[in-house]
Amino acid sequence: MSSTTSALASSPVSTVLGALSAAGLGAHFDREEGVVIAYPAAVSKANALDGVHVTVQWNTTGRQHREVRARFSASAWIPDGPPDFHEVSTVHTTAAPGPLAAEAEVCARAVAAWLAHPASTAGNTLLSALAVHGVTPGNGLSVTYGAHSDQISVTVRLGRDTYGTLVVADRAGSLRHVPGQHTGWSVFLHDERGDAVGDPVYITGDGDGGTVDCAQDSSAAAQFLADCLSAPLRHCCCYARERHNPRHDRECHLYALPRPA
């Protein structure tokens, strides 16, 4: 065993790696960053950074004849376009320094618990909010994956025997990002032929990539969609002349659609 390997085996790193392994996780020490990277045991070391992972850091006090005490912090990350990563959340922080081995075990359990139920996606957050209003996949809702954007589509009545679609998309172009990266929902009305009718009927976010609270935004968007589904949407066949005359008949529902403040 080399002197470097021997030193690593007797260092706090080995204690942290051992605690994470005992918690059922895969982990390795990143010498360049000076952190331990933890990930599901089924993920190989080579692919550890390809998905959600947690970095574990610590500070120690006490040397030689004194007990080594440590304070831990752990943060979850996801890829954000090579070579960048986006921090999802703080998984664990030590309230007060404690014995190294004991605090390593506490941190490892927190990391394992988080990775067992990682942050939900923005799309799932919206689906949960819609379910509160009884709008479920079995009730006119479908999730489709397009070339450039994921969408949630809700069938909506436009008139007698006439149905259109309210299409929900994230301004960032995907529903599969974590809630912390949510930049706002946009809702477009599509006519019975599938063509979009004018501008978004509901939209949030600044359009510049600024994030908004996903839970609150999803709740508001779900309420908006539920309101639209509670009664037929009046429209004036404006889609037929949208390219030539963007104005709508006074009875057109596009006048009445609520917009967020």
Side-chain angles (χ1 to χ4, degrees), residues 1-15 17 29 31 45:
M1 180 182 293
S2 68
S3 59
T4 300
T5 303
S6 177
L8 178 60
S10 61
S11 72
V13 172
S14 63
T15 301
L17 291 174
F29 181 57
R31 294 180 181 279
K45 177 180 177 180

Side-chain angles (χ1 to χ4, degrees), residues 157-189:
R157 185 180 177 189
L158 299 175
R160 180 180 298 178
D161 299 324
T162 304
Y163 294 86
T165 307
L166 289 172
V167 177
V168 188
D170 185 89
R171 296 187 66 152
S174 173
L175 304 180
R176 288 170 282 185
H177 59 270
V178 296
Q181 288 183 287
H182 182 58
T183 58
W185 295 120
S186 59
V187 181
F188 287 84
L189 176 63

Side-chain angles (χ1 to χ4, degrees), residues 109-187:
R109 288 196 297 269
V111 173
W114 192 91
L115 286 172
H117 302 283
S120 64
T121 65
N124 287 337
T125 301
L126 178 58
L127 288 174
S128 295
L130 286 168
V132 172
H133 299 279
V135 182
T136 66
N139 187 25
L141 178 69
S142 62
V143 180
T144 60
Y145 299 97
H148 303 291
S149 176
D150 307 334
Q151 299 176 343
I152 291 177
S153 302
V154 182
T155 300
V156 61
R157 185 180 177 189
L158 299 175
R160 180 180 298 178
D161 299 324
T162 304
Y163 294 86
T165 307
L166 289 172
V167 177
V168 188
D170 185 89
R171 296 187 66 152
S174 173
L175 304 180
R176 288 170 282 185
H177 59 270
V178 296
Q181 288 183 287
H182 182 58
T183 58
W185 295 120
S186 59
V187 181

Side-chain angles (χ1 to χ4, degrees), residues 1-59:
M1 180 182 293
S2 68
S3 59
T4 300
T5 303
S6 177
L8 178 60
S10 61
S11 72
V13 172
S14 63
T15 301
V16 176
L17 291 174
L20 291 167
S21 177
L25 300 175
H28 68 269
F29 181 57
D30 187 318
R31 294 180 181 279
E32 183 176 349
E33 298 296 333
V35 300
V36 165
I37 299 174
Y39 37 89
V43 176
S44 67
K45 177 180 177 180
N47 297 324
L49 301 183
D50 292 342
V52 62
H53 56 276
V54 177
T55 56
V56 179
Q57 303 178 71
W58 61 92
N59 293 314

